[in-house]
Amino acid sequence: MQLCFQKAYLTLKRHLHRSACCCQCMTSGTTPGRSDAPYFITTPIFYVNAAPHIGHLYSALVADASSRWQRLKGRQTLFTVGTDEHGLKIQQAAESHGKSPQQYSDEVSAKFQELFDKSGIAYDDFIRTTEPRHYRAVEKFWETLSKRGYIYRGQYEGWYCVSDEAFLTEEEVQDAVTSDGNNVKVSVASGQPVTWMTEENYMFRLSAFRQQLLSWLDSGAVRPVQFEALVRDWVDDLRDLSVSRQRERLSWGIPVPGDNAQTVYVWLDALVNYLTVAGYPDKFQPSSWPPTCQVIGKDILRFHAVYWPAFLFAADLPPPPSLLCHSHWLVEGHKMSKSRGNVVDPFDRLNKYSSDGLRYFLLKEGAYSSDGNYSDARAVERINGDLVNTMGNLLSRTTAPSVNKQQEFPPLDSGKDLQRFLSEDDVRMYTSLMELPGQVGESYESLSFPRAIETVMTHIRWANALVQTHQPWTLVKSCNPASQQHLKVVLHVAMETLRVCSILLQPVTPQVAARVLTRLGVPLDCSQVSHVHSDVCETPRSLGDKVTLMSRIQNKNGDTLFKKSAAFKV
């Protein structure tokens, strides 16, 4: 059946452009009445009792990739990260290092900021709980809860875990024996020691919010669903919560307003950070609240899925519509621990794998519902296989001067040339490029990064196979006009695939994507999602300067050696 592929292709582009716009509107994550509000996403604020690890980085990467996607669509964002710097653990850690709590917090907080900056985490705000603006927010929030009758003076008696910074029920404590044979009580969740506390402090009427919490859970706010079931169990057994400590026990924290003998509970203090970055209380706009999505690790689920929404209900503020909880990273199937010597240092891996390499591996391999398995061997395999061998190889093959003598991104002269030189399956795959923003966008909107990455890489692998089949290095040697036209078609299809896929990979590998687009001669101001359809190469485009796309990682005798491969100097 004879078709005018040029006409069909242009018609398909117009149709898919409309479809993609509709898809983006449907999956933008906006809340009714907030269509013009920024996309507001948060990570937990990370506790500064120890140096950052790979799990902290993963939380930040998930939120970063999500906010980058929103920016690619042209949406304003508010993406916040930060550090939690109060509490007994910090007080004790500082003492053990012979430093003041403030000095100790300054040093560790700086490490987190350095890690995020080196990893390309493009946050809009870095909040620290030792900042004056946060003190003001906590004081106002406490006063609001108190005025509304949800905080009362009482006596707390029960188990407290310093390591978890949490009050525990009898069911959350178990007997254990130390290495020297002593019988102790420990937290079931963390295995850390607990102490029995009896003291006068302030209590929060947590038990008053059972029905509101259940209604919030019914809305599907907690993802994945397996974590929702766990939260429902906690909500079924709600008890009022102690929200202060005697200051003689805990001096490193925010004093309770009007009672300098008490310190605000570290988790109430910490959770208010999300309000602080939203301008609460002085510059707070209710229309910009709540966050669109909050990303957390499963170890802090109770605080974010029970205490946090209850605090907000008590203050007459809406809770977040989406709480994304991810699991932990294991190493070769084991939990990271200093005793095992298997703690993954993110700074070391950034030096070895590059920022984009580590970002790619963690976002491709990470899972929400089950623990991820970190493996250096797998990281090397994934980075080399996908970024160097597949993406780098395709760029090298299509831009090499020996094949692309004019050093240009050639246009597609006629749709008939597609039918003439490519198979029906290849034509179908090529024209489906226009569907990618909708397909990949749906995955990005649901924070399904492995699926988004695989969708993009499927097209890059296909383009590599196409180039291998049609062998442009052979076509370029022919003086036959048909062979030269054939060459232009192959180069255009492969390079257009790279252009579209690089635009869509920017949330995951921003530097690698920028290098590809630069080499293809695509201006950086033409790299938004909308440019997938509007910036199709229709006239010859000069290629940009040669770039080193990615360094190949070499494994030798169990040691990791890193060399720049000349084959990928493109």
Side-chain angles (χ1 to χ4, degrees), residues 13 398-399 404-413 430 488 491-492 495-500 502-503 516-527 531-545:
K13 279 170 56 182
T398 54
T399 61
N404 193 326
K405 293 183 178 295
Q406 302 301 318
Q407 286 295 280
E408 67 180 22
F409 187 153
L412 185 66
D413 293 337
Y430 171 61
K488 288 180 64 176
L491 291 179
H492 172 88
M495 295 169 93
E496 180 65 359
T497 301
L498 272 172
R499 183 187 74 88
V500 172
S502 295
I503 288 175
V516 173
L517 294 171
T518 296
R519 182 62 173 127
L520 294 178
V522 178
L524 292 183
D525 59 0
C526 291
S527 59
H531 294 115
V532 167
H533 304 92
S534 64
D535 195 45
V536 176
C537 185
E538 296 178 348
T539 58
R541 174 184 282 155
S542 297
L543 297 183
D545 294 337

Side-chain angles (χ1 to χ4, degrees), residues 45-64:
I45 52 173
F46 303 106
Y47 212 39
V48 296
N49 64 309
H53 57 65
I54 210 78
H56 298 133
L57 178 57
Y58 180 68
S59 293
L61 283 175
V62 167
D64 177 69

Side-chain angles (χ1 to χ4, degrees), residues 11 23 85 108 161 301 359 412 416 533 544:
T11 301
C23 178
E85 302 175 24
V108 181
C161 181
L301 178 62
R359 289 174 64 101
L412 185 66
K416 290 182 179 180
H533 304 92

Side-chain angles (χ1 to χ4, degrees), residues 315-509:
D316 197 26
L317 290 170
S322 179
L323 188 66
L324 179 69
C325 182
H326 67 75
S327 296
H328 292 163
W329 281 91
L330 306 178
V331 177
E332 307 292 358
H334 298 286
K335 186 176 180 179
M336 280 186 276
S337 68
K338 292 181 180 179
S339 60
R340 278 187 177 271
N342 66 344
V343 176
V344 179
D345 179 358
F347 289 101
D348 174 71
R349 297 322 191 269
L350 282 171
N351 290 333
K352 290 179 177 179
Y353 302 147
S354 79
S355 168
D356 274 21
L358 187 57
R359 289 174 64 101
Y360 184 85
F361 171 72
L362 292 177
L363 288 172
K364 182 69 173 69
E365 298 289 319
Y368 300 145
S369 58
S370 60
D371 290 337
N373 190 32
Y374 183 90
S375 162
D376 281 320
R378 182 62 174 161
V380 171
E381 177 186 354
R382 178 64 72 187
I383 295 166
N384 282 345
D386 290 359
L387 297 182
V388 180
N389 294 347
T390 303
M391 200 165 185
N393 196 41
L394 183 59
L395 185 63
S396 178
R397 284 174 152 186
T398 54
T399 61
S402 59
V403 169
N404 193 326
K405 293 183 178 295
Q406 302 301 318
Q407 286 295 280
E408 67 180 22
F409 187 153
L412 185 66
D413 293 337
S414 169
K416 290 182 179 180
D417 286 340
L418 289 173
Q419 182 190 29
R420 181 182 178 189
F421 297 114
L422 305 185
S423 69
E424 288 186 13
D425 286 344
D426 286 335
V427 171
R428 190 178 303 111
M429 193 70 171
Y430 171 61
T431 55
S432 73
L433 277 174
M434 295 298 110
E435 299 176 15
L436 273 187
Q439 295 173 352
V440 174
E442 185 178 348
S443 297
Y444 277 140
E445 297 291 348
S446 63
L447 279 68
S448 301
F449 299 111
R451 186 172 66 194
I453 292 169
E454 185 56 30
T455 301
V456 171
M457 291 307 299
T458 295
H459 276 75
I460 295 178
R461 285 192 287 267
W462 161 76
N464 250 322
L466 180 81
V467 169
Q468 183 64 34
T469 298
H470 291 264
Q471 299 187 356
W473 49 88
T474 299
L475 294 173
V476 73
K477 298 176 182 177
S478 174
C479 296
N480 187 329
S483 296
Q484 293 305 305
Q485 194 62 23
H486 186 177
L487 173 64
K488 288 180 64 176
V489 168
V490 173
L491 291 179
H492 172 88
V493 168
M495 295 169 93
E496 180 65 359
T497 301
L498 272 172
R499 183 187 74 88
V500 172
C501 290
S502 295
I503 288 175
L504 298 177
L505 270 183
Q506 288 177 99
V508 178
T509 55

Side-chain angles (χ1 to χ4, degrees), residues 124-141:
D124 297 301
D125 196 346
F126 189 102
I127 177 69
R128 297 181 59 187
T129 55
T130 49
E131 295 181 57
R133 59 169 173 161
H134 183 66
Y135 271 66
R136 167 69 178 142
V138 171
E139 289 170 350
K140 179 63 177 179
F141 193 74

Side-chain angles (χ1 to χ4, degrees), residues 542-562:
S542 297
L543 297 183
D545 294 337
K546 294 180 179 180
V547 296
T548 300
L549 184 62
M550 194 76 188
S551 298
R552 180 183 295 280
I553 306 167
Q554 302 287 349
N555 274 348
K556 188 175 182 180
N557 298 326
D559 297 324
T560 307
L561 305 176
F562 306 90

Side-chain angles (χ1 to χ4, degrees), residues 29-32 34 39-40 216-223 289-294 308-309 312 318-324:
T30 56
T31 304
R34 295 186 58 214
Y39 179 76
F40 184 4
W216 178 66
L217 290 171
D218 289 342
S219 71
V222 175
R223 299 182 290 153
W289 184 265
T292 316
C293 179
Q294 298 201 266
W308 176 225
L312 291 170
S322 179
L323 188 66
L324 179 69

